[in-house]
Amino acid sequence: MSVKKSLYEASLAEYSNHLAAIALLKKHRPYLEMIPSLRRPSESVITIPLPVVRIRDLQSKTSQTMDLPCDISIIMCDPEWKIKTGIEILLFIHRPHEDFSDLLTRWRKCQVWLDKEYEWIMPFRHSHILSEGVNTIYPLFVIFDQTPERIQRGLLGAELPFIMETSTFLEVEEYQESYVGE
């Protein structure tokens, strides 16, 4: 069985909101503890759906802008100083017709590209935040009931953190879409 495109799209839309991203991180406690301030979530967590970075080549003093193959980047910020902390979480949502090697390749490409000097292209609302570099990049994978079991086994074998997401909120959305369409 394959993941439905609507399931992927609904997840992407849902976790693009910083509060929904925090709710997702609550399911993986080590990442939840990385949030600088839960009292000020709108200033502590920035989500960037389908993120873009500017990678700099220090030798040639040029830069290249590129989109990352992750679905959402979750950037932690100090709410007092309005600067990015050294923690970034890259969210990989299982896409329709994607197998384990495809999912793992997306993470590996991000590791390679972000091993250089880079800066995030921030959403307009957060464009004032210093967004260069990072200390550590953490992956988080979201899989579903429809995700083939070999992908879950592969993530376990590779010791990569994942969350098995139920499609409850997505089923409500599909019901509403079908009801409106009548």
Side-chain angles (χ1 to χ4, degrees):
M1 186 180 333
S2 180
V3 172
K4 292 182 182 178
K5 183 166 175 47
S6 61
L7 189 61
Y8 167 77
E9 293 291 341
S11 298
L12 179 62
E14 180 74 12
Y15 302 131
S16 292
N17 178 288
H18 70 279
L19 294 176
I22 291 170
L24 183 68
L25 296 180
K26 286 181 180 178
K27 297 176 182 179
H28 187 70
R29 188 166 184 87
Y31 287 3
L32 178 67
E33 293 172 356
M34 295 177 184
I35 298 174
S37 172
L38 286 173
R39 290 187 312 225
R40 296 166 67 180
S42 65
E43 298 173 37
S44 296
V45 175
I46 298 172
T47 54
I48 306 175
L50 305 175
V52 175
V53 293
R54 184 172 297 115
I55 297 176
R56 289 194 265 323
D57 183 342
L58 297 177
Q59 290 180 348
S60 66
K61 297 185 180 178
T62 61
S63 65
Q64 175 186 5
T65 303
M66 60 189 330
D67 56 334
L68 290 180
C70 65
D71 298 296
I72 297 173
S73 62
I74 302 171
I75 298 174
M76 305 301 172
C77 293
D78 183 306
E80 292 297 320
W81 293 94
K82 308 284 189 231
I83 60 170
K84 190 175 77 54
T85 66
I87 298 170
E88 299 170 357
I89 299 170
L90 301 183
L91 189 62
F92 297 87
I93 302 170
H94 181 218
R95 295 177 176 174
H97 308 293
E98 185 174 53
D99 213 331
F100 177 64
S101 62
D102 305 316
L103 188 59
L104 189 59
T105 296
R106 289 199 291 137
W107 161 235
R108 296 300 185 215
K109 284 181 179 179
C110 287
Q111 284 181 297
V112 169
W113 291 334
L114 299 181
D115 190 41
K116 301 172 176 79
E117 292 285 324
Y118 67 93
E119 114 184 62
W120 294 98
I121 306 298
M122 300 293 274
F124 182 74
R125 184 176 149 235
H126 300 288
S127 60
H128 64 283
I129 293 177
L130 181 64
S131 62
E132 292 183 7
V134 70
N135 294 336
T136 310
I137 300 168
Y138 299 91
L140 182 59
F141 296 84
V142 176
I143 59 175
F144 306 99
D145 300 342
Q146 298 88 345
T147 299
E149 195 228 328
R150 67 181 169 270
I151 292 177
Q152 183 175 345
R153 282 195 326 265
L155 292 171
L156 284 169
E159 298 181 358
L160 291 168
F162 67 91
I163 294 170
M164 175 72 79
E165 193 61 89
T166 60
S167 56
T168 308
F169 73 91
L170 305 168
E171 290 168 359
V172 169
E173 183 176 298
E174 282 184 0
Y175 173 78
Q176 289 172 339
E177 286 176 2
S178 66
Y179 183 74
V180 171
E182 291 180 359

